[in-house]
Each structure stands twice: as C-alpha cells, then as structure tokens.
Amino acid sequence: MATTRNTVSSIIGSDIPRIDGPLKVTGVAKYAADHNLPGMLYAVPVCSTIANGFIKTLDTAAAEKMPGVKAIFRRENIGRFYRAAPNVDLTFHIDEKRPPFEDDTIRYHGQYVALAVATTLEQATAAADAVKVTYYEEKPDVRADLGVCDNLKVESERGDVKTAFAKAPVQIDQTYTTPPEAHAVIEAHASVAAWDGDTVTLYETSQAVAMQRIAISEMLGVPRENVRVITKFLGSGFGGKLWLWGHSLLTAAAARNLGQPVKLVITRKMMFATSGHRASTKQRIRLGATKDGKLNCLWHEYLNHTAILDEYKENCGEASGIIYSTPNARIANALVQCNVGSPTSMRGPGAVPGLYALESAMDELALKLNIDPVELRLRNDTLIDEQENVPFSSRHYKECLTVGAEKFGWAQRNPKVGSMKRDGLTLGWGMAGGSWIAYRFACELTIDLKHDGTARVTCGTQDIGTGTYTVLAQMISAKTGVSVGKVDVVLGDSMYPEGPTSGGSMATASLVPAVEDAMTKIVKKLCEIAVATKGTPFTGQKADDLHFTDGRIHLKDQDSATGTPYEEILKTANVNAASARGKSIAVSGVQPDKPKRSMHSFAAQFVEVTWQPETARLRVSRVVSVIDAGRIINKRTGTNQIQGAVVMGVGMALFERIAYDQRSGAPINSNLADYVLTTHADAPKIEVEFVEYPDLFLNQLGARGIGEIGLAGTAAAITAAVYHATGVRVRDLPVKIEDLIGSAASG
Ligand code: MOS
C-alpha cells in the first residue's frame, strides 16, 4: 500500500528518466522491422533509374525463376490501390497522393516500379536486381536554383507593403536559399503486414497510427475496422513518418496476394527518394524600418520545390506574420514542381527555413541600422498577433531574448567583425529568434485505476522517442499519487482510443485535457462507490461532498492526508478498477468557451562559432537556447529535445544538403557518409533554459509542447555568428568552406 503520495508539484516538471529507456538499451523494445512472423516473406522494391520518362519494358521472367522467389509484383498483378481523397475526410493526410505502380510514367528517380518477394531477404534482393527495366527517358528537372519569385499566391497580407517598402528610410532586400534536407532518421522505414481473413495488421514505423490506419484503409480499399496499425517504438521520425508512404501499401498488397506475412524494410538509399524530405526553398525578404529600428514593412516571398503530382508547400511564412510588430506585411508563395519524390514535413516545417531567411534579414537590418540585434528584436516585440488581430495566449519572447543575452554574456560582444579572439581563434557571436505554432489535436484515451494500486493509461498515440510514455505516466501519477513505476502506459496501436499524431510538437498538449477529462469521470465514480459501499468511512454520505486529493478520498473539511486511499475503497467495494474514457477537442486558437487567442511558442538562440582562418576551420562552439513553451512536464526529456534540435540546427547551417545529379535526377549523396550530419564531435556546448509560463489557455497544465521550437532560428543564429567572425554573409545554406576562404577576416 502506497502511503506516501506524489503531488503535482513534485512530479510535473521533474527530470525522471524515460520509463521506456531500459527496454531500449536492453534490446527488448521491438521496432517495426524487429517483428518476425511465422511463414513471413521478404519484399524488396525495384526502383526506377531515371527521374523523368516512361517504362518501355519491364522484364520479370528471369527474376521469377530465381530460388525462393514467390512473386514479382508490378502494375499488372499487384491489385488495385485507390487514390486517397484527404480533402473529403480531413481526419487524415497524405503527401504522395499517387499510389505506387499506378501507371508507367516515371516522375522521380527511385520511384517504385516493381516488387520482388521471396523466402529470404537475400533472395528477394537478388530477384529485385534481376528485374530488367528499360525506359523512354526525358531530361529531368531537379534544378538547384528555383528561379525567380513570380506568379505568387498571397497567403496573408496587412497594410500596403509596396508603398511602405518604397518609403522606408532603411531597407533590406535579400534572397536566401535552403537546400533539400533529409530526415536521416536512424530507424529505416519498415512495414510488416499480416492478413487474417479480411483483416490486415501492419507493424509500421509511424508517427500517427490512428491516421495511418485511415490512410491505408482508403488506399487499399479495406474498411477501417479491418486495418490495424501497430508502432510501439520509433527510432525517431522528425516528420518523415507522419504520413503514409508507398512501401506500406506494397507490403500489405503483397501479403494479401500471397496469403503470407511480408516484411519490407526500405534501404537508406530509398529513404532519400521515396519517403519524403524537406523541400528546397528560395526566399526573398524585404524589410523596411525607421532609423530607430521600428519595422514598417515585412515582405516575405518564397518558392519551394515539390513533386510533379503533389502540392507540398513548405510553409515558410509560418512565423513571419506574427513574430514582429509591423503595420505592413505580406507573405506570398509559389510551388516549383520538379522530378523529385514528394517533400514532406520536417521538424518545424516551413517555420524553420522561413526563420532562417527572416532572422538573417533581421541581422542584416540591425547591422545597417547600427543597432544591436537583440535590441532590434526587443523594439519590434508585440503581445498582439497582428496577422489575426488577437492577443497571444502567452508570449514571452522578450524574456527569451533578455535571459539568453544574460546567460550568453552578450554584453561583452564587440560588434566589430573579426575583433573577438580566444586561444588564437577568432570568435563569432550571433543570435536569432524563433517561434512555432501551438495547437491541439482531438484525441481520446482511457484510464484505469486498479484496486491493487496500479494504474493504466491506454491511447492510440505513439512515442517517437521523445518521452510520450514518460510524460503520460507523470500526468497519471500527478493526478492519482500512484508512483510513475506503477503506471502502465499502453500506446502504439490503432485499436486503442484514437490518439494524437506525434507531430507539430502537439501530442503532449493534446493529451493533457484527455487525462483531465478521464480523471474527472473516475473521481466521480470513486466518490459514488465510496458512498454506496458499506464499510467505507463515507457510507451513506453525499458523493458531492467528497474530494479526491493525491489519490485519497476525503471530506471537504478533512485533512486530505488522513483520507482513504482510493484502492481501499475499491477493495471494500470489491471492484477491480475505476475506469473512464477521456476526450480532448482539437484547438487552433479558438476554444468554444474562451475568447480567441493566438498560441505560439518562442525561442531565442545565441551562438558562438570559432574560426581559424589559417586552416579554414569553422566550429560551432557554444549555444544558449532559451525557450518559452509553457510548462515543461519533464525537464530531462524537454532539455534533450532542445539539445537535439540545436544539433540538427548545426547540421542545417553547416552540413546538410541533398544533392541531385542534374543528368540522372538521382539524389547522389543518398547515404549517411555523403549526406553529412552533425556528429557528436561536431556538437557544441549547449545550454538550455526554459522560461516557464504555463499556457493555461491551451490546456490545464499549460504545456505547449516542444520539439520543433529548438530548431527555430538556430541556423540563422549560426550564420549571424559566422558573419561576425568572418565578415561573410552566407545566404545559401549550408555554409561552405569555399564561401569563407579569402574573407576579409581570414587574415
Ligand atoms: Mo514534426 S515535422 O511535426 O514530426
């Protein structure tokens, strides 16, 4: 019997380690590809070797006769897939709308054209290699330069940017580009499909089992109740595993056709072509300001590449409309369709490349005005979302800036380029700000409080590795006093109550109200049981007079510590568990019972680089990241998220770029040796600080969610620091050594 109870104040905000950690480090945790079923076959896709054209011949005869081969699937024998119509049913989304094998047209390099299925992986791989495909080839368009920003569609507008910009005493007009980037998650995309009659179970690596189920049901033409998607653990996602990709459909169809389970793990190389990437962008920013640094025009135009048949928009203006006060603003965009696989969401989609451009322009404006870059941002802060003309629910950007400056030691900065030195190295100090939207998804979950003092929470969401298992255990523990170790968190199965997508940094914020709702119902049940059961201290009293504090039932005037533990009540009543289903509604700034608010998280990133001109060696040495994301439920997992985002920001600024071969259209650095990522050795010293203002407008704990916000502004802070060290303003990511060689400050 637990006699000491945890309380909200000790559990919420603590730094307890991930409860799933031991399962992962001991190898017990099963990822999608770890599932092996009796009679399971292996599938390997055949990928097109051109990026634009048509299949002329597809010869499977030799492959079909190879040892262990069960089938070679192609358009003619895979069976029917259906184009999804997500606009009809907004409960799911899909980026690559065209199902695999739909026709013989090739629109990007690596497109699946056939699928070899065999008894072993080696046999399937050999058979896939033996499929002979010839093509009518046309010149692919995989342009690195997206061209001129014209024919743009206006996304949002206030005032008159044209006039304001023309009249502005100080102007900045610059163009910035960001390359295509890979999610480069360590766990490859994988599917294991098994049919039982008309019902299919898929072990997937999905950031949204609930949505994946709907998408598979639609595209496979199977009723929803006949599809089950299971993802117990993910080796990360970063947005690349939010939506359905073609390999899952191929796996399900192959398993159906052959009447045996099928496993398909796509290769690292395929992951650069067929399962999404961050779109390349080209962004023109025009800022107009008064001489004392007040913005009067913010004009953000951008292009992003997308696939030939898809309309993925990299939403670069996500932060531009709200982050600064300005009477005149316009955000406009256009898509450039190229011979690439569909881009998709990648950590801080839109906002992250958008803020690289906007915050770089702000740094250039500060320099032109001769105003400190922190001061320039402070002068343009606002507590009103001027795009929607509503107040922010909770905005502490100013404090992020001032706390960051203090922690970093910004006051010691000498603004003169190349003037700061340490240990023979030139130092560069730069900073930038960021924001990321905070919404809630609709979701449901169930909670069971059991008579043996344990609890269970069950939800059809998933943990991408960031801590959903742990924060749910904390939430239940805080409400019930059951220790975290006695809370069984059951996630990752579309059979469970529909849970939130692990995306947009919104899962945690969505779960909070569902936990509250379920707990309210459970407490009511417990109180009713307490008064209706003979032999409890409350027999015959009114249920409404009872209270529930830290897991104890007590009367209003009674010291809660002398109340009766709920499990005693359940035992006396001979009831196994008090259970309830809780719901959370979707919230996007509008809540039924509240005035409209604009909900965003904010950040300030301060960066130090070291520059050694003699050897052209650039390092990011130190980062201070200050985050305003509401209440932080777990300091450890929260800090880890921001540290990870900063490391990703170093990659974005200095290393990462998918390069397409202009002749073949192939992503040529499609492996983790040539697609350069930040390694541990490249990682700077990172200090993370949360300015913690619970956003009670969003949910009862005031948690907005973290994940994306740590990457917002990071690359711009790094390039600002590079400028401060070298005098070179890099407007095309990633920073290349050749950009810096011969710079004024290079000696
Ligand atoms: Mo995130 S890009 O919403 O997984």
Side-chain angles (χ1 to χ4, degrees), residues 183 207 237-243 278 312 344-349 436 441 464 501-506 707-708:
H183 300 79
Q207 290 176 243
F238 303 128
K241 296 172 178 174
L242 281 169
W243 327 119
R278 196 200 287 279
Y312 180 81
T344 192
S345 306
M346 181 167 146
R347 203 173 201 168
W436 178 248
F441 298 117
I464 50 173
T501 295
S502 298
S505 302
M506 294 172 201
E708 338 252 350

Side-chain angles (χ1 to χ4, degrees), residues 85-93 211 214 218 224:
N87 294 335
V88 178
D89 182 347
L90 288 172
T91 54
F92 78 106
H93 174 92
M211 229 185 295
I214 300 171
E218 292 285 322
R224 274 182 205 184

Side-chain angles (χ1 to χ4, degrees), residues 9 19 34 129 172 197 208 228-229 249 255 268 337 400 440 462 481 497 508 578 625 650 683 694 701 721 746:
S9 53
I19 60 173
D34 294 332
D129 285 346
I172 292 291
R228 181 177 179 189
V229 176
L249 293 169
R268 181 60 58 182
Q337 288 182 314
C400 292
R440 255 167 53 192
Q462 50 288 309
T508 300
S625 180
V650 173
L701 285 178
S746 68

Side-chain angles (χ1 to χ4, degrees), residues 720-743:
V722 167
Y723 175 82
H724 182 231
T726 66
V728 177
R729 177 69 60 181
V730 177
R731 300 190 185 90
D732 303 293
L733 291 185
V735 175
K736 289 164 275 305
I737 288 302
E738 53 268 36
D739 295 335
L740 308 182
I741 289 175
S743 70

Side-chain angles (χ1 to χ4, degrees), residues 224-235:
R224 274 182 205 184
E225 55 276 20
N226 291 6
V227 179
R228 181 177 179 189
V229 176
I230 298 172
T231 301
K232 292 289 177 184
F233 299 97
L234 285 112

